[in-house]
Amino acid sequence: MTMLVRFAPSPTGYLHIGNARVALWNYLLARRAGGRFILRLDDTDQERSRPEFAEAIREDLGWLGIAPDVFVRQSDRLERYALAFERLKAAGHLYPAYETPEELDRKRKRQQARGQPPIYDRSALKLSADERASLEAGGRKPHWRFRLSGHTVRWDDAVRGPAHIETAALSDPVLVRADGTVLYTFASVVDDVDMAVTHVLRGEDHVANTAVQIELFAALGAGSPIFGHLNLIAAADGTEMSKRTGSLSIRSFRADGIAPMAVASVAVLTGTSEPLHAVASLEELAPLVDLAKVSRALTKFDPAEIVHLSARLIHDKPFVEVADDLAALGIAGATAEPFWYAVRGNLTRVAEAAAWWPVVAGIITPVVEEAGFLARAAELLPPEPWSQETWHAWTEAVKQASGRKGRALYMPLRLALTGRAEGPELKLLLPLIGRARALARLAAV
RNA sequence: GCGCCCUUCGUCUAGCGGUCUAGGACGUUGCCCUUUCACGGCAAAAACACGGGUUCGAGUCCCGUAGGGCGCGCCA
């Protein structure tokens, strides 16, 4: 049986790193097993689902390198849910309830106040046929609840091992709203059955849902897929992972010029026994994913780590991978490639290359502290053509002529040539700057 | 309140009763390299939440305490 996994976000906000963790684990596991990956939009909540978020999710996944094999949206599958609903109803698994959301809310508050669990009291089950009839005659439409067994549900969790939940501690879930639309728990199970999903790998926040859904799979006469629950990750600095606006959204990293694989590396490797490091591609990340390496404890990560790993990736990034980005910054032409290799080691973000480009191809303000020394150095500038050896040859000559060495020799030259006290190696920069520019900068007053 | 789960260096973790004077990674600090910054190399500091028990022996098993996470929606 080939592995079939799914990532099922609701299009109610932007993806954050917690979502990326789940998406990536599913994708990488499937890829490793030669299986398939479904992107399913859980958009049964008409109120909150938005097309722009749906589009954003696909974009963000694409940015991370995830290309789904199958794409579905629950809003396209309503007939399937209606069918399953009739089946469950006929089999006696569902019962109509008539409380309004406000009434249910009051009940919960009262239970909480008494120190009781806010679990649905099943009073709808005690309604007589007459009472139901009069409720409906009064204009009340029922919503439908799935009757839980009250037993302990057990499963062998793919990351946590033997797991169990007391369904008696859970509310009978509402599967169908009063307006006839279905809820996530139900649609999700129908989809997983229909599409023959083999592994449901999701966050630990879903464990209670798993118990409910296992009973739902059974009620539908289907076997359960393998369930696995990944530990939750949280920003160590307490940053909220709000799906809507959080600074930890995939989009914010993208806008910040972070390398996607830095985000992917942290999202996947955090909270596992695999040492966290920058992995350059999903191909190289895939062999590293192993459910046995996932911890069961809540894990904290430092968002700054992502920036750090991103810088590491950029330091090794080949020119071809950034050529387009550089061109967009106005960095193009024959000099672009050697320029990239000269400066990449000093960058944290690709966009920072723009700050160095004028040094080799534009106008800068040289910092001149000792005009006399620079003038003498200028006279010793070798004739072109220049190479990486030129810097050494030139500075040796200046050293002889001036008697200077060390910082006193190099720093004034760096300051005049680049306008800055720190930066890439001058032996790489100098040939790109060229004799004409170098002369002008050394002579600047 | 109930259900489920968690607790080893600052952080992520290894550890499945003796081999642990607790190992690795990131970060930190120092040194080296580089007479810039970064990279790289070397080194150092740094942890078993607490209390009982079981055992010849506990980081490892049991119980309790404390702390923490998730869930308990006509959200997903």
Side-chain angles (χ1 to χ4, degrees), chain A residues 229-243:
Chain A
H229 297 86
L230 258 16
N231 57 347
L232 267 17
I233 60 174
D237 64 0
T239 307
E240 265 302 315
M241 235 187 281
S242 157
K243 199 172 177 186

PDB file of all heavy atoms in Angstrom, chain A residues 229-243:
ATOM      1  N   HIS A 229       0.915  12.072  16.003  1.00  0.00           N
ATOM      2  CA  HIS A 229       0.793  13.451  16.490  1.00  0.00           C
ATOM      3  C   HIS A 229       2.144  14.044  16.813  1.00  0.00           C
ATOM      4  O   HIS A 229       2.849  13.589  17.718  1.00  0.00           O
ATOM      5  CB  HIS A 229      -0.138  13.491  17.696  1.00  0.00           C
ATOM      6  CG  HIS A 229      -1.534  13.063  17.359  1.00  0.00           C
ATOM      7  ND1 HIS A 229      -1.936  11.750  17.355  1.00  0.00           N
ATOM      8  CD2 HIS A 229      -2.594  13.779  16.944  1.00  0.00           C
ATOM      9  CE1 HIS A 229      -3.207  11.675  16.975  1.00  0.00           C
ATOM     10  NE2 HIS A 229      -3.631  12.895  16.707  1.00  0.00           N
ATOM     11  N   LEU A 230       2.478  15.064  16.053  1.00  0.00           N
ATOM     12  CA  LEU A 230       3.753  15.767  16.223  1.00  0.00           C
ATOM     13  C   LEU A 230       3.669  16.683  17.441  1.00  0.00           C
ATOM     14  O   LEU A 230       2.638  17.323  17.676  1.00  0.00           O
ATOM     15  CB  LEU A 230       4.000  16.629  14.985  1.00  0.00           C
ATOM     16  CG  LEU A 230       4.956  16.226  13.870  1.00  0.00           C
ATOM     17  CD1 LEU A 230       5.336  14.765  13.899  1.00  0.00           C
ATOM     18  CD2 LEU A 230       4.442  16.674  12.526  1.00  0.00           C
ATOM     19  N   ASN A 231       4.765  16.781  18.180  1.00  0.00           N
ATOM     20  CA  ASN A 231       4.766  17.707  19.309  1.00  0.00           C
ATOM     21  C   ASN A 231       4.640  19.142  18.794  1.00  0.00           C
ATOM     22  O   ASN A 231       5.034  19.460  17.675  1.00  0.00           O
ATOM     23  CB  ASN A 231       6.050  17.536  20.144  1.00  0.00           C
ATOM     24  CG  ASN A 231       7.303  17.727  19.328  1.00  0.00           C
ATOM     25  OD1 ASN A 231       7.266  17.756  18.098  1.00  0.00           O
ATOM     26  ND2 ASN A 231       8.420  17.866  19.992  1.00  0.00           N
ATOM     27  N   LEU A 232       4.077  19.961  19.647  1.00  0.00           N
ATOM     28  CA  LEU A 232       3.871  21.364  19.264  1.00  0.00           C
ATOM     29  C   LEU A 232       5.160  22.158  19.455  1.00  0.00           C
ATOM     30  O   LEU A 232       5.953  21.861  20.342  1.00  0.00           O
ATOM     31  CB  LEU A 232       2.770  21.959  20.143  1.00  0.00           C
ATOM     32  CG  LEU A 232       1.314  21.946  19.652  1.00  0.00           C
ATOM     33  CD1 LEU A 232       1.082  20.971  18.521  1.00  0.00           C
ATOM     34  CD2 LEU A 232       0.362  21.696  20.799  1.00  0.00           C
ATOM     35  N   ILE A 233       5.354  23.154  18.617  1.00  0.00           N
ATOM     36  CA  ILE A 233       6.521  24.015  18.807  1.00  0.00           C
ATOM     37  C   ILE A 233       6.055  25.431  19.130  1.00  0.00           C
ATOM     38  O   ILE A 233       4.984  25.857  18.714  1.00  0.00           O
ATOM     39  CB  ILE A 233       7.449  24.035  17.570  1.00  0.00           C
ATOM     40  CG1 ILE A 233       6.724  24.549  16.336  1.00  0.00           C
ATOM     41  CG2 ILE A 233       7.994  22.651  17.316  1.00  0.00           C
ATOM     42  CD1 ILE A 233       7.642  24.715  15.137  1.00  0.00           C
ATOM     43  N   ALA A 234       6.853  26.115  19.903  1.00  0.00           N
ATOM     44  CA  ALA A 234       6.509  27.472  20.323  1.00  0.00           C
ATOM     45  C   ALA A 234       7.755  28.336  20.310  1.00  0.00           C
ATOM     46  O   ALA A 234       8.864  27.855  20.543  1.00  0.00           O
ATOM     47  CB  ALA A 234       5.924  27.447  21.725  1.00  0.00           C
ATOM     48  N   ALA A 235       7.585  29.599  20.006  1.00  0.00           N
ATOM     49  CA  ALA A 235       8.720  30.513  20.004  1.00  0.00           C
ATOM     50  C   ALA A 235       9.194  30.724  21.436  1.00  0.00           C
ATOM     51  O   ALA A 235       8.403  30.977  22.333  1.00  0.00           O
ATOM     52  CB  ALA A 235       8.333  31.844  19.376  1.00  0.00           C
ATOM     53  N   ALA A 236      10.487  30.592  21.642  1.00  0.00           N
ATOM     54  CA  ALA A 236      11.051  30.688  22.987  1.00  0.00           C
ATOM     55  C   ALA A 236      10.845  32.070  23.589  1.00  0.00           C
ATOM     56  O   ALA A 236      10.761  32.213  24.801  1.00  0.00           O
ATOM     57  CB  ALA A 236      12.536  30.344  22.951  1.00  0.00           C
ATOM     58  N   ASP A 237      10.743  33.064  22.742  1.00  0.00           N
ATOM     59  CA  ASP A 237      10.584  34.420  23.276  1.00  0.00           C
ATOM     60  C   ASP A 237       9.113  34.752  23.538  1.00  0.00           C
ATOM     61  O   ASP A 237       8.764  35.871  23.859  1.00  0.00           O
ATOM     62  CB  ASP A 237      11.191  35.445  22.314  1.00  0.00           C
ATOM     63  CG  ASP A 237      10.468  35.464  20.978  1.00  0.00           C
ATOM     64  OD1 ASP A 237       9.502  34.694  20.798  1.00  0.00           O
ATOM     65  OD2 ASP A 237      10.863  36.256  20.114  1.00  0.00           O
ATOM     66  N   GLY A 238       8.264  33.749  23.392  1.00  0.00           N
ATOM     67  CA  GLY A 238       6.855  33.969  23.692  1.00  0.00           C
ATOM     68  C   GLY A 238       6.051  34.575  22.554  1.00  0.00           C
ATOM     69  O   GLY A 238       4.875  34.849  22.705  1.00  0.00           O
ATOM     70  N   THR A 239       6.703  34.781  21.403  1.00  0.00           N
ATOM     71  CA  THR A 239       5.991  35.328  20.254  1.00  0.00           C
ATOM     72  C   THR A 239       4.796  34.447  19.908  1.00  0.00           C
ATOM     73  O   THR A 239       4.917  33.233  19.823  1.00  0.00           O
ATOM     74  CB  THR A 239       6.912  35.394  19.018  1.00  0.00           C
ATOM     75  OG1 THR A 239       8.093  36.091  19.376  1.00  0.00           O
ATOM     76  CG2 THR A 239       6.214  36.113  17.880  1.00  0.00           C
ATOM     77  N   GLU A 240       3.658  35.055  19.731  1.00  0.00           N
ATOM     78  CA  GLU A 240       2.456  34.312  19.379  1.00  0.00           C
ATOM     79  C   GLU A 240       2.537  33.799  17.947  1.00  0.00           C
ATOM     80  O   GLU A 240       2.999  34.488  17.048  1.00  0.00           O
ATOM     81  CB  GLU A 240       1.230  35.217  19.512  1.00  0.00           C
ATOM     82  CG  GLU A 240       0.521  35.090  20.846  1.00  0.00           C
ATOM     83  CD  GLU A 240       0.052  33.665  21.134  1.00  0.00           C
ATOM     84  OE1 GLU A 240      -0.512  33.042  20.216  1.00  0.00           O
ATOM     85  OE2 GLU A 240       0.251  33.195  22.267  1.00  0.00           O
ATOM     86  N   MET A 241       2.081  32.579  17.775  1.00  0.00           N
ATOM     87  CA  MET A 241       2.106  32.027  16.437  1.00  0.00           C
ATOM     88  C   MET A 241       0.770  32.241  15.733  1.00  0.00           C
ATOM     89  O   MET A 241       0.272  31.374  15.051  1.00  0.00           O
ATOM     90  CB  MET A 241       2.399  30.537  16.499  1.00  0.00           C
ATOM     91  CG  MET A 241       3.584  30.211  15.651  1.00  0.00           C
ATOM     92  SD  MET A 241       3.864  28.485  15.509  1.00  0.00           S
ATOM     93  CE  MET A 241       4.648  28.086  17.034  1.00  0.00           C
ATOM     94  N   SER A 242       0.208  33.382  15.960  1.00  0.00           N
ATOM     95  CA  SER A 242      -1.104  33.676  15.384  1.00  0.00           C
ATOM     96  C   SER A 242      -1.117  33.397  13.897  1.00  0.00           C
ATOM     97  O   SER A 242      -0.245  33.820  13.153  1.00  0.00           O
ATOM     98  CB  SER A 242      -1.451  35.140  15.615  1.00  0.00           C
ATOM     99  OG  SER A 242      -2.389  35.565  14.656  1.00  0.00           O
ATOM    100  N   LYS A 243      -2.137  32.668  13.501  1.00  0.00           N
ATOM    101  CA  LYS A 243      -2.223  32.266  12.108  1.00  0.00           C
ATOM    102  C   LYS A 243      -2.470  33.470  11.206  1.00  0.00           C
ATOM    103  O   LYS A 243      -2.085  33.492  10.050  1.00  0.00           O
ATOM    104  CB  LYS A 243      -3.374  31.279  11.970  1.00  0.00           C
ATOM    105  CG  LYS A 243      -3.304  30.446  10.723  1.00  0.00           C
ATOM    106  CD  LYS A 243      -4.353  29.373  10.769  1.00  0.00           C
ATOM    107  CE  LYS A 243      -4.320  28.574   9.480  1.00  0.00           C
ATOM    108  NZ  LYS A 243      -5.403  27.616   9.417  1.00  0.00           N
TER     109      LYS A 243
END
